[in-house]
Structures are given as structure tokens and as C-alpha cells.
Amino acid sequence: MAKGRIFSGIQPTGIIHLGNYVGAIQQWVKLMQNYECIYCIVDYHAITIEYEVTALRDNIMEAAVTLLACGLDPEHCTLFVQSRVPEHTELTWIFNCLSPIGDLERMTQFKEKSQQHREDITMGLLDYPVLQAADILIYKAGFVPVGEDQVQHIELTRRIARRFNNRFGETFPEPQEILTPTSRIMGTDGKTKMSKSLNNYIGILEPPDVIWEKLRTSVTDENRKRRSDPGNPDICNLFTIHKVFSSADDSARINRECRTAEIGCVECKKILYNNMMAHLQPIQQKANKLRETPAAIISALNEGAERCKKIAGQVMQEVREKAGIR
Ligand code: AMP
Ligand code: TRP
């Protein structure tokens, strides 16, 4: 019996990395069993910074392939592409008219991205979280599984819902985020959040030798300068990843032996690599298989969009009536 409706989204950037997988997608797969889940490939979000026109379509397909390979099942959830349901942008406009600019300028992601793209700070980039609020609320979703970096956007979504409800009458729920125990994975530099744009990522579909090379050169506990120095797993990003992919026994042993310098970083990385590949290789194989039948994927996305259009159309109608439009 479904406990409620879930919504979440991911940008089609051409790569899905360990941060996305551990922070969000693994959870998306689990939640399918107990909730009505709607998962969205957010192409309109992806165009808020400079992008390659010819790559976007391929990236959307690649995102769909990766999500399905990770275990999303179109029989048990709805998967669709954002721009196929125009109500998302229609509701964004209504929400724009309820959103003080100051709220948007304060968003950490906006501040970070406008640093990275100084030449090209668009209205779209500023408005990004309002579109995200519309994504969630157009389905009146109650729960949003995301990584830690998105919590601020979910808080803003609650504020927008509250403002709409106060102004036009009770309409939207105030959605709650669902975080995993490892909701923040750092990059291979060990210092900044793993992300495509910082080029510090390990893609879950990258070839094994590439994954090993990235792991091998990943920053661990920087205070551990020599093999004989004891390390501190509490501040080592790779230990965080161990806890996801390695058995409780392996993790406990590494935790112990790192602190006493019985195990070195290279050996620790080899164990992590083996455990991680045991997990990722079946996903990679499934992705290769899925790529052989693009028509099946397109048809799943089409069905998803049809289902979403029905819900979104009804909610948009209610919004228009309440806001006095038409
Ligand atoms: P994005 O690729 O930015 O669309 O992110 C998709 C999902 O992955 C969101 O729920 C993010 O919060 C999550 N995510 C992205 N990067 C990380 C990271 N480094 N650690 C944990 N979760 C992340
Ligand atoms: N902003 C999210 C990210 O970068 C992606 C996203 C867009 C999203 N719309 C959403 C996540 C709605 C959750 C719900 O990760």
C-alpha cells in the first residue's frame, strides 16, 4: 500500500557519478516499494548554464539508461522528461510572482554556480529553485529524496507552498526531504562535493580502469603523509564510500587497521575498488543491454509523461481557478 507520493529529479549532464548514486538514486530504488514514485530527468534545469545543444538529447537518453540500469522499474515508478509536461513551467510563473528575489539570491547553489559562470548569470539560473518547487508541487508530492546539497531548495519549496496557501487557500502540502546516511560524497580531491562541473567525479558507468585510476589518485586523510603514519577514517572520503560498498566486516577492519597504520591507503583503495566494482559491474552490464533497445526506453518515458500530464493538468487547473486566472 503506497504511503504517499515521492518526487525527485536529476539533471541530464551526461554523467551520473557516485555522489548522485549514493546520495539519491540508491534511495529512489528502495522507495519504489512503498511509495508512489515520480522521477524526472530535468532538462529545463540543465539549460540554466551553458550547454551543448547537440549533446542534450543524448544526455537525456543516457540519464534514462543509467537510472533504469540502477534499478528503477517503469512498472513500479514513473520516469519522464520534464519538458514533456509544460505545466512545470506554467506553475513556475505563478510561483515566480510569489517569490522575493532576495530568497533566490541567498541560495547556496546559485551563489556557487554564479561564481563558476561569472560571464553568464541568467534569469534561468536564479529561477532554478522556483522551477524545482514547481516540479515537486505540481504533483503535490509529500517527500523528496535528495542529497544534502538540495535541502535548501526543499526548504524554499515549503516556503513557496506556504505562501501560495496563505494567499489563495490551502492547496499544496509542505514536502519533506528524505536523506540517506551518506547524503554528501566528496570528490576525488577530498575537499569539494563530488560534481560533474568540478571534474572531481567518478562516473558509475566509467570503464573499470578509469574508475581505478580515479580511486588510486583520490585524496584520503591528508595528515597521513607516510605509510607508517596512523590515519583517521572519520575525515577520509574513501572511508565514507567504503561504508556504502564494503561489508560491515571489511569496513570495521579498515576502520581499525587505518588508525593503527596496519593497512595503507593503496591497499585500502584496492579493497574498495573490488567491492565497488562487484556492485557497479552488474549495473554497467545492464546499461549496455538497455542501450540496445532505445525504443523501449523512449516508450517508457512517453508513458511516464502521459501519466504525469494527467496529474499536472488537474493541479494546474485548480491553481488557475484559485489564482483567478481564466
Ligand atoms: P544533480 O546531478 O545535481 O541533478 O543531482 C541529482 C541528485 O544527486 C540530487 O539529489 C543531489 O542532491 C544528489 N547529489 C549530487 N551530488 C552529490 C554528492 N556529491 N553527494 C551526495 N549527493 C549528491
Ligand atoms: N536541483 C536538483 C539537483 O541539482 C535536481 C532537481 C530538479 C530536483 N527538480 C527537482 C530534485 C525536484 C528534487 C526534486 O540535484
Side-chain angles (χ1 to χ4, degrees), residues 7-9 11 42 45 109 128 132 135-136 144 146 150 153:
F7 183 95
S8 198
Q11 300 189 64
V42 293
H45 280 105
Q109 186 172 307
Y128 180 114
Q132 182 165 351
D135 291 340
I136 299 166
V144 189
V146 281
Q150 294 301 311
H153 289 169

Side-chain angles (χ1 to χ4, degrees), residues 21-313:
Y21 182 66
V22 172
I25 299 166
Q26 268 194 316
Q27 183 84 328
W28 294 12
V29 174
K30 280 200 199 116
L31 291 166
M32 272 190 321
Q33 289 158 15
N34 292 317
Y35 291 83
E36 179 199 349
C37 294
I38 304 178
Y39 297 129
C40 184
I41 299 171
V42 293
D43 51 349
Y44 278 151
H45 280 105
I47 66 169
T48 56
I49 52 173
E50 223 187 309
Y51 71 103
E52 290 244 9
V53 173
T54 48
L56 186 59
R57 221 168 252 135
D58 289 346
N59 289 348
I60 291 172
M61 270 308 274
E62 189 56 20
V65 163
T66 315
L67 292 172
L68 295 171
C70 288
L72 289 193
D73 175 0
E75 300 285 317
H76 293 104
C77 71
T78 299
L79 180 65
F80 77 111
V81 179
Q82 185 187 36
S83 61
R84 290 287 304 276
V85 184
E87 283 81 358
H88 289 233
T89 41
E90 188 176 356
L91 184 58
T92 300
W93 186 256
I94 309 261
F95 286 171
N96 276 340
C97 300
L98 295 168
S99 301
I101 294 176
D103 281 10
L104 303 178
E105 285 170 336
R106 266 196 298 281
M107 291 293 118
T108 307
Q109 186 172 307
F110 173 69
K111 288 194 223 161
E112 281 172 3
K113 289 206 177 171
S114 43
Q115 284 284 328
Q116 286 168 24
H117 304 271
R118 272 172 214 274
E119 308 292 301
D120 196 20
I121 306 173
T122 64
M123 281 300 296
L125 190 61
L126 182 65
D127 209 25
Y128 180 114
V130 181
L131 176 59
Q132 182 165 351
D135 291 340
I136 299 166
L137 295 175
I138 195 78
Y139 302 104
K140 298 190 176 183
F143 305 94
V144 189
V146 281
E148 190 200 59
D149 61 323
Q150 294 301 311
V151 170
Q152 201 183 33
H153 289 169
I154 312 305
E155 279 164 8
L156 182 81
T157 301
R158 287 195 284 274
R159 266 210 303 287
I160 292 175
R162 224 172 293 142
R163 231 178 263 128
F164 186 99
N165 292 344
N166 287 338
R167 174 92 173 78
F168 301 117
E170 200 57 35
T171 308
F172 294 113
E174 291 186 24
Q176 295 297 319
E177 61 273 9
I178 299 181
L179 295 175
T180 59
T182 34
S183 59
R184 185 179 170 87
I185 298 286
M186 304 307 259
T188 48
D189 54 9
K191 289 187 193 66
T192 47
K193 186 189 79 172
M194 184 175 286
S195 79
K196 167 91 194 288
S197 55
L198 295 175
N199 201 11
N200 63 357
Y201 63 86
I202 296 179
I204 63 171
L205 299 186
E206 290 193 287
D209 56 328
V210 174
I211 294 185
W212 167 245
E213 195 47 31
K214 289 185 174 185
L215 261 187
R216 192 184 67 79
T217 52
S218 285
V219 174
T220 55
D221 167 7
E222 281 191 304
N223 297 324
R224 190 176 188 192
K225 305 247 187 291
R226 281 168 309 227
R227 169 67 181 80
S228 53
D229 291 343
N232 180 2
D234 299 338
I235 57 168
C236 179
N237 185 41
L238 292 189
F239 187 63
T240 309
I241 306 178
H242 257 297
K243 284 188 276 191
V244 177
F245 293 106
S246 300
S247 65
D249 280 355
D250 271 358
S251 299
R253 182 167 65 83
I254 284 154
N255 190 7
R256 208 172 48 240
E257 294 184 355
C258 172
R259 289 177 202 277
T260 54
E262 279 168 84
I263 187 173
C265 289
V266 178
E267 199 185 329
C268 171
K269 285 172 172 178
K270 278 187 189 150
I271 299 169
L272 176 58
Y273 171 76
N274 286 332
N275 293 340
M276 203 157 103
M277 288 319 296
H279 189 98
L280 295 184
Q281 245 155 2
I283 295 177
Q284 299 194 341
Q285 281 158 8
K286 195 162 168 202
N288 290 337
K289 208 150 181 59
L290 284 161
R291 283 199 196 90
E292 289 168 11
T293 52
I297 296 174
I298 291 168
S299 122
L301 291 174
N302 286 343
E303 271 176 40
E306 289 311 314
R307 243 177 287 161
C308 287
K309 271 186 201 168
K310 282 206 189 86
I311 309 172

